Amino acid sequence: MSQLSVILPFHNESAGVRHLLERLYPALGKLGLSYEIICVDDGSSDFTFETLVHERQFDQRLKIVRFARNFGKETALTCGLHLAKGQVAVTMDSDLQHPPEIIPALLQKWHEGFEVVHATRANRKTDGPLRRCFSRAFYSIFRRIADIEMPEGAGDFCLFDRKAIDAMNALPERNRFMKGLTSWVGFRQATVPFDVEPRDSGMSNWNFFRLLRFAIDGISAFSTLPLRVWTWCGMLVSFGAILYAAYLVADTLIYGVNVPGYASTMVGILFLGGLQLMSLGVIGEYLGRIFTEVKARPLYFISERIGFDQ
Ligand code: UDP
Ligand code: MG
């Protein structure tokens, strides 16, 4: 029975597997705990799975699941938490951006009694300027409107006590914005800052549109403010319209009927049309997510599992 489960999502990381394990084994060896390493191959199209299977020859504590297709990192982490048998689990990226040498510091906090420990990035040096700007905007919006507190710089490098693992596994939703859910479950939470490293090999799997969708997923999962704000907009516009109507009545009584009004009519129509489309769009975003949830499809399918009991 392992005490620690390390959960690693892989998507086209074959070139980095060896480097990762070369640093992970020594870091884990020093802990004095029994451990398992759960590798989730998230529908890689390179030799990631084969490389992992090869590595397993040398250490049976490496356990491997292969997804039937690419289900996304959040789903891969969720699967890892489902399969974890440890008293404590650590999720981390497999591209060495999350240094394995931080794991002892996370466990130290766990020994102190914390049940969820976020490793938070101390800087964003490895991100490009656009992405840095975007991340900052996202966190500042998220912190203002979401119903949960998410530590600054929190990512998916995180430790979970068994209680927190069970809590995460009890969440039924399909939209799994992990860093939000991790904060949402509660328990005693702590943070440990670390310096993000550059990617070991390969390229980031995220482009601007994927990040944008991820950001909308996160905000919609933890706030209904984007839905409700239209009530206030509507009230404001109606109030403005009443004032404007009063002005028009007064203007007509004083100066008589003034027919030309093309520009103001157009501005009114376009402004309100835009506002309505935007609010409809927001409703659509939520509706789409409700649709995904009610379909209640399984989160993922596993095509192969190696090293697990059943
Ligand atoms: N990843 C995954 N499935 C995906 C995309 C990414 O399992 O669909 C994994 C990837 O292998 C890596 C981690 O998630 O271990 C972080 O991905 P990436 O480095 O591309 O993201 P970034 O560090 O740029 O945020
Ligand atoms: Mg990365």
Side-chain angles (χ1 to χ4, degrees), residues 9-11 13 42 70 72-73 76 93-95 97 131 199 203-206 210:
F10 289 83
H11 183 66
E13 305 282 6
D42 184 13
N70 178 243
K73 178 188 180 182
D93 285 2
S94 59
D95 57 0
Q97 289 203 274
R131 180 155 174 185
R199 213 169 203 292
M203 279 182 356
S204 171
N205 288 285
W206 302 81
R210 199 167 171 189

mmCIF file of all heavy atoms in Angstrom, residues 9-11 13 42 70 72-73 76 93-95 97 131 199 203-206 210, ligand 1:
data_model
loop_
_atom_site.group_PDB
_atom_site.id
_atom_site.type_symbol
_atom_site.label_atom_id
_atom_site.label_comp_id
_atom_site.label_asym_id
_atom_site.label_seq_id
_atom_site.Cartn_x
_atom_site.Cartn_y
_atom_site.Cartn_z
ATOM 1 N N PRO A 9 0.106 14.066 -15.616
ATOM 2 C CA PRO A 9 -0.566 13.999 -16.919
ATOM 3 C C PRO A 9 0.463 14.165 -18.038
ATOM 4 O O PRO A 9 1.365 14.995 -17.936
ATOM 5 C CB PRO A 9 -1.507 15.201 -16.895
ATOM 6 C CG PRO A 9 -0.824 16.201 -16.019
ATOM 7 C CD PRO A 9 0.058 15.435 -15.061
ATOM 8 N N PHE A 10 0.337 13.361 -19.075
ATOM 9 C CA PHE A 10 1.277 13.441 -20.201
ATOM 10 C C PHE A 10 0.521 13.668 -21.492
ATOM 11 O O PHE A 10 -0.406 12.927 -21.793
ATOM 12 C CB PHE A 10 2.040 12.116 -20.362
ATOM 13 C CG PHE A 10 3.037 11.838 -19.278
ATOM 14 C CD1 PHE A 10 2.626 11.282 -18.070
ATOM 15 C CD2 PHE A 10 4.374 12.117 -19.455
ATOM 16 C CE1 PHE A 10 3.544 11.003 -17.065
ATOM 17 C CE2 PHE A 10 5.302 11.838 -18.461
ATOM 18 C CZ PHE A 10 4.882 11.284 -17.256
ATOM 19 N N HIS A 11 0.925 14.662 -22.241
ATOM 20 C CA HIS A 11 0.397 14.803 -23.594
ATOM 21 C C HIS A 11 1.567 15.109 -24.520
ATOM 22 O O HIS A 11 2.104 16.207 -24.468
ATOM 23 C CB HIS A 11 -0.667 15.899 -23.664
ATOM 24 C CG HIS A 11 -1.286 16.040 -25.009
ATOM 25 N ND1 HIS A 11 -2.058 15.052 -25.574
ATOM 26 C CD2 HIS A 11 -1.224 17.018 -25.922
ATOM 27 C CE1 HIS A 11 -2.444 15.430 -26.761
ATOM 28 N NE2 HIS A 11 -1.950 16.626 -27.010
ATOM 29 N N GLU A 13 4.755 13.994 -24.514
ATOM 30 C CA GLU A 13 5.933 14.371 -23.719
ATOM 31 C C GLU A 13 7.020 13.311 -23.813
ATOM 32 O O GLU A 13 7.872 13.221 -22.921
ATOM 33 C CB GLU A 13 5.541 14.547 -22.237
ATOM 34 C CG GLU A 13 4.421 15.527 -21.943
ATOM 35 C CD GLU A 13 4.867 16.969 -21.982
ATOM 36 O OE1 GLU A 13 6.016 17.238 -22.341
ATOM 37 O OE2 GLU A 13 4.030 17.837 -21.663
ATOM 38 N N ASP A 42 -2.586 11.233 -21.824
ATOM 39 C CA ASP A 42 -3.808 11.892 -22.279
ATOM 40 C C ASP A 42 -3.842 11.940 -23.807
ATOM 41 O O ASP A 42 -3.670 12.997 -24.401
ATOM 42 C CB ASP A 42 -3.842 13.301 -21.666
ATOM 43 C CG ASP A 42 -5.113 14.038 -22.000
ATOM 44 O OD1 ASP A 42 -6.057 13.406 -22.484
ATOM 45 O OD2 ASP A 42 -5.159 15.262 -21.773
ATOM 46 N N ASN A 70 -7.556 12.330 -26.395
ATOM 47 C CA ASN A 70 -7.154 13.471 -25.583
ATOM 48 C C ASN A 70 -8.383 14.071 -24.883
ATOM 49 O O ASN A 70 -9.269 14.607 -25.540
ATOM 50 C CB ASN A 70 -6.467 14.510 -26.481
ATOM 51 C CG ASN A 70 -6.072 15.743 -25.711
ATOM 52 O OD1 ASN A 70 -6.555 16.828 -25.986
ATOM 53 N ND2 ASN A 70 -5.209 15.603 -24.735
ATOM 54 N N GLY A 72 -7.987 16.159 -22.148
ATOM 55 C CA GLY A 72 -7.587 17.412 -21.494
ATOM 56 C C GLY A 72 -6.921 17.155 -20.153
ATOM 57 O O GLY A 72 -7.170 16.155 -19.489
ATOM 58 N N LYS A 73 -6.079 18.110 -19.792
ATOM 59 C CA LYS A 73 -5.272 17.955 -18.591
ATOM 60 C C LYS A 73 -6.116 17.836 -17.317
ATOM 61 O O LYS A 73 -5.821 17.044 -16.431
ATOM 62 C CB LYS A 73 -4.348 19.166 -18.490
ATOM 63 C CG LYS A 73 -3.498 19.180 -17.281
ATOM 64 C CD LYS A 73 -2.768 20.506 -17.187
ATOM 65 C CE LYS A 73 -1.907 20.520 -15.948
ATOM 66 N NZ LYS A 73 -1.222 21.809 -15.785
ATOM 67 N N ALA A 76 -7.299 14.440 -17.023
ATOM 68 C CA ALA A 76 -6.208 13.518 -16.700
ATOM 69 C C ALA A 76 -5.899 13.575 -15.197
ATOM 70 O O ALA A 76 -5.708 12.544 -14.550
ATOM 71 C CB ALA A 76 -4.972 13.869 -17.512
ATOM 72 N N ASP A 93 2.891 18.849 -13.268
ATOM 73 C CA ASP A 93 3.106 18.743 -14.710
ATOM 74 C C ASP A 93 4.253 17.793 -14.999
ATOM 75 O O ASP A 93 5.173 17.653 -14.192
ATOM 76 C CB ASP A 93 3.445 20.109 -15.307
ATOM 77 C CG ASP A 93 2.228 21.008 -15.414
ATOM 78 O OD1 ASP A 93 1.136 20.574 -14.996
ATOM 79 O OD2 ASP A 93 2.371 22.149 -15.903
ATOM 80 N N SER A 94 4.220 17.198 -16.175
ATOM 81 C CA SER A 94 5.251 16.217 -16.508
ATOM 82 C C SER A 94 6.347 16.821 -17.373
ATOM 83 O O SER A 94 7.204 16.117 -17.869
ATOM 84 C CB SER A 94 4.609 15.045 -17.232
ATOM 85 O OG SER A 94 3.975 15.521 -18.398
ATOM 86 N N ASP A 95 6.306 18.148 -17.583
ATOM 87 C CA ASP A 95 7.318 18.763 -18.457
ATOM 88 C C ASP A 95 8.441 19.407 -17.663
ATOM 89 O O ASP A 95 9.198 20.214 -18.185
ATOM 90 C CB ASP A 95 6.659 19.787 -19.382
ATOM 91 C CG ASP A 95 5.912 20.863 -18.603
ATOM 92 O OD1 ASP A 95 5.920 20.811 -17.365
ATOM 93 O OD2 ASP A 95 5.319 21.759 -19.229
ATOM 94 N N GLN A 97 8.300 21.651 -15.523
ATOM 95 C CA GLN A 97 8.111 23.046 -15.105
ATOM 96 C C GLN A 97 7.858 23.096 -13.601
ATOM 97 O O GLN A 97 8.093 24.111 -12.964
ATOM 98 C CB GLN A 97 6.966 23.684 -15.881
ATOM 99 C CG GLN A 97 7.342 23.932 -17.333
ATOM 100 C CD GLN A 97 6.491 25.013 -17.955
ATOM 101 O OE1 GLN A 97 5.414 24.729 -18.450
ATOM 102 N NE2 GLN A 97 6.980 26.234 -17.935
ATOM 103 N N ARG A 131 0.904 36.103 -22.662
ATOM 104 C CA ARG A 131 0.319 35.144 -21.741
ATOM 105 C C ARG A 131 0.354 35.665 -20.304
ATOM 106 O O ARG A 131 -0.574 35.477 -19.533
ATOM 107 C CB ARG A 131 1.057 33.809 -21.839
ATOM 108 C CG ARG A 131 0.477 32.782 -20.910
ATOM 109 C CD ARG A 131 0.723 31.388 -21.352
ATOM 110 N NE ARG A 131 0.256 30.476 -20.320
ATOM 111 C CZ ARG A 131 0.414 29.189 -20.349
ATOM 112 N NH1 ARG A 131 1.001 28.624 -21.362
ATOM 113 N NH2 ARG A 131 -0.042 28.437 -19.381
ATOM 114 N N ARG A 199 10.217 24.829 -19.796
ATOM 115 C CA ARG A 199 9.813 23.505 -20.240
ATOM 116 C C ARG A 199 11.044 22.682 -20.620
ATOM 117 O O ARG A 199 11.957 23.176 -21.257
ATOM 118 C CB ARG A 199 8.934 23.680 -21.470
ATOM 119 C CG ARG A 199 7.876 22.677 -21.596
ATOM 120 C CD ARG A 199 6.917 23.092 -22.692
ATOM 121 N NE ARG A 199 5.644 22.453 -22.467
ATOM 122 C CZ ARG A 199 5.482 21.140 -22.591
ATOM 123 N NH1 ARG A 199 6.472 20.381 -22.942
ATOM 124 N NH2 ARG A 199 4.290 20.615 -22.351
ATOM 125 N N MET A 203 6.682 21.568 -26.708
ATOM 126 C CA MET A 203 6.028 22.866 -26.689
ATOM 127 C C MET A 203 4.822 22.853 -25.767
ATOM 128 O O MET A 203 4.251 21.810 -25.511
ATOM 129 C CB MET A 203 5.513 23.202 -28.090
ATOM 130 C CG MET A 203 6.586 23.758 -29.008
ATOM 131 S SD MET A 203 5.961 24.203 -30.605
ATOM 132 C CE MET A 203 4.267 23.742 -30.631
ATOM 133 N N SER A 204 4.437 24.044 -25.316
ATOM 134 C CA SER A 204 3.224 24.139 -24.508
ATOM 135 C C SER A 204 2.030 23.695 -25.348
ATOM 136 O O SER A 204 1.988 23.911 -26.552
ATOM 137 C CB SER A 204 3.029 25.577 -24.047
ATOM 138 O OG SER A 204 1.770 25.703 -23.444
ATOM 139 N N ASN A 205 1.083 23.044 -24.682
ATOM 140 C CA ASN A 205 -0.098 22.549 -25.384
ATOM 141 C C ASN A 205 -1.187 23.606 -25.495
ATOM 142 O O ASN A 205 -2.287 23.332 -25.930
ATOM 143 C CB ASN A 205 -0.678 21.354 -24.633
ATOM 144 C CG ASN A 205 0.203 20.128 -24.782
ATOM 145 O OD1 ASN A 205 0.207 19.508 -25.830
ATOM 146 N ND2 ASN A 205 0.974 19.808 -23.754
ATOM 147 N N TRP A 206 -0.897 24.819 -25.016
ATOM 148 C CA TRP A 206 -1.955 25.819 -24.912
ATOM 149 C C TRP A 206 -1.715 26.944 -25.902
ATOM 150 O O TRP A 206 -0.660 27.549 -25.918
ATOM 151 C CB TRP A 206 -1.993 26.395 -23.500
ATOM 152 C CG TRP A 206 -2.199 25.331 -22.493
ATOM 153 C CD1 TRP A 206 -1.245 24.495 -21.986
ATOM 154 C CD2 TRP A 206 -3.434 24.938 -21.896
ATOM 155 N NE1 TRP A 206 -1.826 23.629 -21.111
ATOM 156 C CE2 TRP A 206 -3.156 23.862 -21.032
ATOM 157 C CE3 TRP A 206 -4.746 25.402 -22.012
ATOM 158 C CZ2 TRP A 206 -4.136 23.244 -20.285
ATOM 159 C CZ3 TRP A 206 -5.714 24.789 -21.266
ATOM 160 C CH2 TRP A 206 -5.420 23.716 -20.415
ATOM 161 N N ARG A 210 -7.337 28.284 -26.597
ATOM 162 C CA ARG A 210 -7.545 27.245 -25.600
ATOM 163 C C ARG A 210 -7.507 27.863 -24.200
ATOM 164 O O ARG A 210 -8.289 27.497 -23.319
ATOM 165 C CB ARG A 210 -6.457 26.180 -25.755
ATOM 166 C CG ARG A 210 -6.855 24.889 -25.100
ATOM 167 C CD ARG A 210 -5.977 23.732 -25.497
ATOM 168 N NE ARG A 210 -6.314 22.596 -24.652
ATOM 169 C CZ ARG A 210 -5.631 21.479 -24.613
ATOM 170 N NH1 ARG A 210 -4.587 21.312 -25.392
ATOM 171 N NH2 ARG A 210 -6.001 20.507 -23.816
HETATM 172 N N1 UDP B 1 -1.345 18.047 -20.727
HETATM 173 C C1 UDP B 1 -2.265 17.005 -20.780
HETATM 174 N N2 UDP B 1 -3.298 17.075 -21.674
HETATM 175 C C2 UDP B 1 -3.477 18.138 -22.504
HETATM 176 C C3 UDP B 1 -2.557 19.211 -22.423
HETATM 177 C C4 UDP B 1 -1.507 19.127 -21.522
HETATM 178 O O1 UDP B 1 -2.148 16.038 -20.043
HETATM 179 O O2 UDP B 1 -4.419 18.130 -23.289
HETATM 180 C C5 UDP B 1 -0.223 17.979 -19.764
HETATM 181 C C6 UDP B 1 1.149 18.192 -20.366
HETATM 182 O O3 UDP B 1 1.722 16.981 -20.781
HETATM 183 C C7 UDP B 1 1.914 18.795 -19.205
HETATM 184 C C8 UDP B 1 0.853 19.565 -18.438
HETATM 185 O O4 UDP B 1 -0.396 19.031 -18.850
HETATM 186 O O5 UDP B 1 2.447 17.802 -18.347
HETATM 187 C C9 UDP B 1 0.931 21.053 -18.695
HETATM 188 O O6 UDP B 1 0.796 21.293 -20.063
HETATM 189 P P1 UDP B 1 1.649 22.395 -20.810
HETATM 190 O O7 UDP B 1 3.064 22.332 -20.367
HETATM 191 O O8 UDP B 1 1.377 22.235 -22.260
HETATM 192 O O9 UDP B 1 0.968 23.708 -20.296
HETATM 193 P P2 UDP B 1 1.670 25.011 -19.714
HETATM 194 O O10 UDP B 1 2.782 24.574 -18.825
HETATM 195 O O11 UDP B 1 2.141 25.759 -20.913
HETATM 196 O O12 UDP B 1 0.568 25.688 -18.981
#
